[in-house]
Amino acid sequence: MSEQKTVYLADYRPYSHVVESVDLTFRLHPTATRVVARLSLRQNPARKDRDHLRLDGEGLKLISCKLDGQAITPAVDERSLTIAAHELPDGPFILETEVEIAPEANTALEGLYMSKGMYCTQCEAEGFRKITYYPDRPDVMSRFKVRIESDLPVLLSNGNPVASGEGWAEWDDPWPKPAYLFALVAGDLRAHSASFVTASGRPVDLNIWVRPGDEDRCAYAMDSLIRSMRWDEQVYGREYDLDVFNIVAVDDFNMGAMENKGLNIFNSRYVLASPETATDDDYYRIEAIIAHEYFHNWTGNRITCRDWFQLCLKEGLTVFRDHQFSADMRSAAVRRIEDVVTLRSRQFREDDGPLAHPVRPESFVEINNFYTATVYEKGAEVIGMLKSLVGDAGYKRALDLYFERHDGDAATIEDWLKVFEDATGRDLSQFKLWYSEAGTPRLKVEETWDNGVYTLTFTQKNPPTPGQPIKHPKVIPIKVGLLNPNGDEVVPTITLEMTRAKQSFRFEGLAARPVPSILRGFSAPVVLDRKAPPEERAFLLAHDTDAFNKWEAGRALAKEVMADIALKGAPVSPAWLDALAAVTFDDTLDPAFRALCLRLPGEDDIAQTIHAMGRIPDPAKIHAARREMTGALAIRLGEGLSRLYKDLDDNAPFSPSAAQAGRRALKIAALGLLSRRDGGKLAASAFARARSMTEEVGALSALLEVGQGQAELVSFAARWGRDANVMDKWHALQIAHAEPAEAAAVAARLIGAPGFDWKNPNRFRTVIGALAANHAGFHHRSGAGYRLVADWLLKLDPLNPQTAARVSTAFETWPRYDAARRKLARTELERILAAPDLSGDLREMAERMLAAG
Ligand SMILES: [Zn+2]
């Protein structure tokens, strides 16, 4: 591998040329596909100088090159094809190249590759350069026409179908787009079809293409697509703009899904669902990801990013939109809680370690390494704050202006903030720090009560992160409500706008000292540092009118209890047990909400909390503390648990609805606790009569957690052995429930089993991801967890560097542990770096992680 250079945002220059149109012809062949690209080019008037023409290209065999019909010999190296400025005509010209590529040998799954006999593409971020010579950057937008020649029956590309015959098909995309949105699929596929009529009356054919036999598992994805299309019309006024919308499910895929114009390509895991094979969580994810990719049609495709530093422009906004959609389709409170759990476990963790970077980074080596929780999840939170600050009406005006002003553009964060300034008259220069500074702000709270005047004083601390030692005070919208000691709300939710490092807010005319409910709805992605006695947390868990903060009170209490047990060997707090019991048996509360309250904080989350206290987390002690809490809870909830389980165990016909999913979640939580008491007897019978994958997995999980379930594992494998996506659950469960000392060995046995397809990204991520998520197992003092993950990263890297680099984030928290563990982790990271022919992707990650230690 040649050395890769660091790219800087500050170095941006427009491209030398404009690509008026692109005509592509593909003659598909597994080992020798020919790609003919005909580009209509002219000098870019935005550039004063007359520059050479440099096209990106990697791993291409150049067959021929013609400039205005004349054969030429351009300069070609490992990464590009260049024609000197003096060889270029003054006016517009046509450049035609023909290259040969080998899709079957493409194990990196970037560019054109094969998955079980089917051709497919993945071009974001820089995969198109592995297909043909082209200016592979998002600000070069052009109109694409595509001709595919192949014996395979289904031949798809972007845009609308224009003509087809025996062994060929032609597609035309009327909307100019960057190369990263190009897609091609060819295979023996079947369609699950439907139709849609847009608000202005345009009929659209909808197809979900899958392998033969999978057609009957597409109904939920199709229903989700139709609801997404309608929702985007109703909420954002955005209509679909082509005659067809195609989705293809692919088994070998590096990401979740890809929003290619008119031809979304999906990891099959996020398309296929039936009650027997998909859990409620799978259903939720399918709905959310279908919506996300569809919403990109406007936020990403019609308006794209000028350069990859602006990735959050399309991803932050589209994640924000898919969160809004899920909140409208399901319980908004439950969705908000789940989204914050994800944010904290992935993004706060990233922000707290060596890989911390701003929502809009200012440099990168490999852009694939910046498809991160910070860009996606924090990027969405930043938009949520913006919406709180300008209000719903201001947000709507700004978005309307954004679509009107920038349709067809490759835009920047500056463009995005400018529409908010112009639409609302607000100065957002301080707010912009959220895009440029990394790290999670910490918010300290002090209160005073004096003669009917209650004062809240906030102090924000913005911790240093790699490359950014000095930080500035941020604009933080803090939603606050006040409760009377009797539980009534005396001040309903208001938004306090904090702009300084330290700031006070006064509330007058109160009869009694109130109990504050701070950061309602998690109104900003910050850590709230506020000591509160357990009684106050229990009070808020019982009385807060804000569902998020109600849950948060219980969560904060559980975290304090767990940290106290792990650090001081404290007993399980009766106040926590009583408060949780009250919520668990409160039938007026949504079952999904009660299930969320029963889910204890993750061990990695507690390690992060302990680290933030300036202490060193001990994974073994945290693990033991969590077990102890679960055991004490099972005893405290007592016989009520059996009653609760029976009430929820009804015979209603299956529906993937949020309401039914919530009941199942609570039932499974109860079953897990009951297993602590009966050794898994009830869970064994629940497994035997499970009517959905949610129940099957829930029962199996309850059994494994109490050291049972071996027979059930065998029967599960016998039933689902041929469905790899379902078997991922089987693999993940065994590793998740393995004893810490055994976890690495269990993972090694599974991933090394004959016939296990570890080269498939879903399989690899499942096993290595499950081991990394088994906190006490991965960080076991033997070092076996670190060693196994490093071994397999090194094995995958030569084949698929992108997935290897992403999975390597398992190591991102290593500096927070004790010296012995740090030494073990450092040894593995150094071993990775010492590997010959290490990819640029994995090298960048290992170097960044090591730099922190
Ligand atoms: Zn996206």
Side-chain angles (χ1 to χ4, degrees):
M1 271 280 157
S2 54
E3 282 298 307
Q4 281 173 288
K5 281 196 314 216
T6 303
V7 187
Y8 296 94
L9 169 60
D11 291 345
Y12 174 81
R13 280 178 88 193
Y15 186 58
S16 59
H17 290 76
V18 173
V19 186
E20 302 278 9
S21 65
V22 190
D23 281 86
L24 296 170
T25 301
F26 287 83
R27 299 193 182 99
L28 295 176
H29 186 279
T31 57
T33 287
R34 287 289 174 100
V35 185
V36 180
R38 214 178 125 85
L39 316 182
S40 298
L41 294 147
R42 63 183 167 85
Q43 293 279 336
N44 185 351
R47 283 271 298 264
K48 300 280 170 274
D49 57 330
R50 230 191 97 127
D51 206 352
H52 60 259
L53 178 75
R54 184 189 179 281
L55 304 178
D56 300 298
E58 275 179 43
L60 308 173
K61 183 168 144 196
L62 183 64
I63 304 297
S64 68
C65 182
K66 288 182 206 156
L67 182 67
D68 282 336
Q70 299 294 309
I72 59 163
T73 310
V76 171
D77 65 20
E78 270 186 357
R79 295 184 178 275
S80 62
L81 178 156
T82 307
I83 302 170
H86 70 268
E87 290 178 273
L88 296 172
D90 291 330
F93 60 98
I94 306 280
L95 184 77
E96 189 178 300
T97 59
E98 180 167 1
V99 300
E100 191 175 290
I101 52 177
E104 202 177 60
N106 181 350
T107 58
L109 314 183
E110 290 175 287
L112 177 67
Y113 64 95
M114 299 196 76
S115 171
K116 298 192 173 69
M118 151 188 183
Y119 292 86
C120 58
T121 54
Q122 171 57 34
C123 293
E124 187 177 1
E126 297 180 335
F128 195 69
R129 62 189 61 191
K130 297 183 172 183
I131 293 176
T132 189
Y133 287 106
Y134 195 79
D136 190 5
R137 42 188 285 169
D139 60 343
V140 174
M141 298 174 83
S142 187
R143 190 173 160 159
F144 283 64
K145 283 187 188 161
V146 177
R147 179 183 167 88
I148 309 167
E149 297 174 12
S150 165
D151 294 338
L152 289 162
V154 177
L155 308 174
L156 307 171
S157 191
N158 312 94
N160 296 317
V162 283
S164 61
E166 190 67 27
W168 63 275
E170 290 178 358
W171 291 78
D172 181 5
D173 185 355
W175 300 102
K177 65 169 176 287
Y180 82 86
L181 291 173
F182 168 82
L184 175 152
V185 168
D188 179 14
L189 300 167
R190 302 288 184 275
H192 175 106
S193 304
S195 56
F196 183 84
V197 179
T198 67
S200 63
R202 173 201 278 270
V204 184
D205 291 336
L206 310 177
N207 303 296
I208 297 179
W209 297 92
V210 293
R211 283 188 294 157
D214 285 338
E215 305 92 300
D216 58 344
R217 289 200 282 159
C218 301
Y220 190 72
M222 183 59 87
D223 176 57
S224 303
L225 174 62
I226 291 170
R227 284 183 284 122
S228 307
M229 295 176 86
R230 197 59 77 207
W231 185 90
D232 212 17
E233 290 180 344
Q234 289 166 351
V235 179
Y236 280 84
R238 299 294 113 198
E239 277 188 39
Y240 188 61
D241 53 8
L242 290 167
D243 304 336
V244 294
F245 188 79
N246 287 312
I247 290 175
V248 181
V250 177
D251 287 325
D252 300 272
F253 203 66
N254 280 337
M255 312 200 191
M258 177 63 209
E259 70 264 23
N260 318 296
K261 183 77 187 189
L263 177 55
N264 288 2
I265 298 183
F266 269 64
N267 191 319
S268 56
R269 164 178 290 182
Y270 300 121
V271 174
L272 304 176
S274 67
E276 299 76 39
T277 61
T279 60
D280 290 320
D281 194 49
D282 292 330
Y283 276 104
Y284 153 69
R285 262 172 234 286
I286 288 169
E287 180 186 79
I289 296 175
I290 291 270
H292 178 95
E293 305 308 333
Y294 174 73
F295 295 157
H296 267 313
N297 192 52
W298 275 93
T299 51
N301 301 4
R302 289 284 287 257
I303 305 178
T304 192
C305 307
R306 189 193 69 176
D307 51 69
W308 290 120
F309 296 102
Q310 323 293 332
L311 184 58
C312 64
L313 179 75
K314 75 176 179 80
E315 294 305 342
L317 178 53
T318 306
V319 170
F320 181 71
R321 275 151 51 72
D322 84 52
H323 284 179
Q324 285 183 300
F325 170 76
S326 294
D328 284 355
M329 295 296 127
R330 293 164 176 258
S331 152
V334 167
R335 285 315 321 152
R336 185 61 187 145
I337 294 166
E338 292 273 21
D339 290 341
V340 173
V341 169
T342 306
L343 180 81
R344 284 174 173 160
S345 70
R346 296 185 49 224
Q347 200 278 324
F348 281 21
R349 168 183 150 116
E350 188 166 81
D351 246 353
D352 190 37
L355 298 178
H357 58 274
V359 171
R360 182 172 70 175
E362 271 155 31
S363 69
F364 60 76
V365 175
E366 175 48 71
I367 184 58
N368 284 331
N369 288 337
F370 282 88
Y371 284 72
T372 60
T374 297
V375 169
Y376 280 66
E377 315 299 333
K378 188 174 176 182
E381 291 298 320
V382 170
I383 293 174
M385 285 191 286
L386 201 46
K387 185 164 180 279
S388 300
L389 292 171
V390 303
D392 292 353
Y395 178 79
K396 189 176 182 317
R397 280 202 306 281
L399 267 285
D400 287 346
L401 182 59
Y402 181 62
F403 292 121
E404 185 194 312
R405 188 182 282 176
H406 292 294
D407 187 13
D409 284 356
T412 62
I413 289 302
E414 282 72 18
D415 294 330
W416 165 251
L417 291 175
K418 186 77 167 58
V419 297
F420 278 83
E421 292 188 326
D422 292 352
T424 67
R426 245 188 116 94
D427 177 355
L428 292 172
S429 40
Q430 188 189 2
F431 186 81
K432 199 179 166 193
L433 289 168
W434 282 106
Y435 285 98
S436 59
E437 290 189 355
T440 307
R442 301 188 75 94
L443 205 54
K444 239 179 69 189
V445 192
E446 291 156 290
E447 302 147 62
T448 58
W449 168 249
D450 184 19
N451 246 337
V453 178
Y454 177 70
T455 308
L456 281 172
T457 302
F458 296 97
T459 312
Q460 56 169 301
K461 222 179 88 196
N462 291 280
T465 50
Q468 291 189 324
I470 313 267
K471 298 285 168 63
H472 304 86
K474 309 263 184 317
V475 184
I476 304 179
I478 307 168
K479 291 194 175 170
V480 171
L482 300 179
L483 279 75
N484 254 345
N486 68 3
D488 293 343
E489 189 166 71
V490 278
V491 175
T493 308
I494 53 161
T495 305
L496 309 176
E497 205 176 309
M498 183 180 192
T499 54
R500 299 196 298 273
K502 186 170 183 177
Q503 207 165 337
S504 298
F505 299 89
R506 281 161 58 96
F507 300 85
E508 293 175 15
L510 299 171
R513 183 186 177 122
V515 178
S517 164
I518 302 169
L519 211 65
R520 284 186 157 180
F522 202 64
S523 60
V526 302
V527 174
L528 191 62
D529 276 327
R530 177 171 178 275
K531 291 266 168 290
E535 300 72 36
E536 190 192 297
R537 303 239 193 257
F539 172 84
L540 287 173
L541 178 57
H543 298 289
D544 205 325
T545 56
D546 181 78
F548 177 83
N549 265 11
K550 188 179 173 71
W551 168 84
E552 177 79 327
R555 182 73 161 193
L557 188 51
K559 278 168 90 164
E560 283 161 6
V561 172
M562 209 183 289
D564 277 353
I565 301 173
L567 288 171
K568 304 180 217 157
V572 179
S573 148
W576 172 69
L577 290 169
D578 292 345
L580 205 48
V583 169
T584 305
F585 299 126
D586 183 346
D587 291 333
T588 65
L589 294 171
D590 178 2
F593 178 84
R594 289 145 74 192
L596 280 172
C597 291
L598 281 171
R599 201 200 292 163
L600 298 192
E603 292 169 30
D604 186 79
D605 195 358
I606 298 302
Q608 192 175 308
T609 305
I610 291 175
H611 175 66
M613 294 158 70
R615 305 281 299 269
I616 293 176
D618 180 337
K621 284 190 175 156
I622 295 173
H623 184 67
R626 195 165 189 269
R627 283 231 161 136
E628 199 183 326
M629 286 170 77
T630 313
L633 189 59
I635 294 168
R636 172 63 180 82
L637 298 182
E639 285 315 306
L641 270 180
S642 311
R643 276 197 307 278
L644 179 66
Y645 182 83
K646 266 203 206 98
D647 286 350
L648 293 163
D649 196 27
D650 57 24
N651 277 317
F654 179 89
S655 147
S657 71
Q660 240 196 44
R663 288 174 64 84
R664 275 189 288 271
L666 185 56
K667 184 171 85 168
I668 288 161
L671 184 63
L673 290 165
L674 281 165
S675 300
R676 298 267 165 175
R677 298 152 55 93
D678 73 0
K681 259 171 67 189
L682 185 62
S685 86
F687 180 86
R689 54 189 184 82
R691 293 178 308 145
S692 67
M693 183 50 73
T694 304
E695 293 169 310
E696 202 168 332
V697 163
L700 186 52
S701 175
L703 285 166
L704 293 171
E705 190 55 28
V706 294
Q708 302 293 313
Q710 292 312 307
E712 284 78 6
L713 279 174
V714 172
S715 83
F716 189 102
R719 185 161 175 218
W720 298 115
R722 275 178 303 157
D723 189 322
N725 282 329
V726 173
M727 285 303 283
D728 283 344
K729 304 178 197 307
W730 184 83
H731 288 99
L733 277 173
Q734 293 179 68
I735 301 165
H737 294 287
E739 286 299 323
E742 306 295 321
V746 172
R749 174 169 57 76
L750 295 173
I751 198 169
F756 183 82
D757 184 10
W758 58 268
K759 293 173 190 166
N760 174 288
N762 287 7
R763 305 296 90 76
F764 190 89
R765 272 193 298 255
T766 292
V767 172
I768 301 300
L771 177 58
N774 182 330
H775 183 257
F778 178 60
H779 296 288
H780 191 262
R781 59 187 160 76
S782 64
Y786 300 157
R787 208 152 46 237
L788 185 85
V789 173
D791 282 347
W792 283 91
L793 290 176
L794 287 170
K795 221 165 153 169
L796 183 67
D797 184 58
L799 301 171
N800 187 337
Q802 191 179 332
T803 293
R806 289 210 185 144
V807 176
S808 75
T809 55
F811 283 102
E812 75 182 322
T813 57
W814 76 277
R816 63 157 97 117
Y817 297 95
D818 55 86
R821 284 186 171 85
R822 285 206 306 276
K823 184 159 180 268
L824 290 166
R826 168 179 281 280
T827 304
E828 298 307 328
L829 286 169
E830 284 171 349
R831 180 160 70 95
I832 289 173
L833 272 181
D837 298 328
L838 190 69
S839 72
D841 302 55
L842 188 52
R843 174 180 305 281
E844 182 187 17
M845 295 299 275
E847 278 175 353
R848 283 167 66 201
M849 288 190 280
L850 263 177

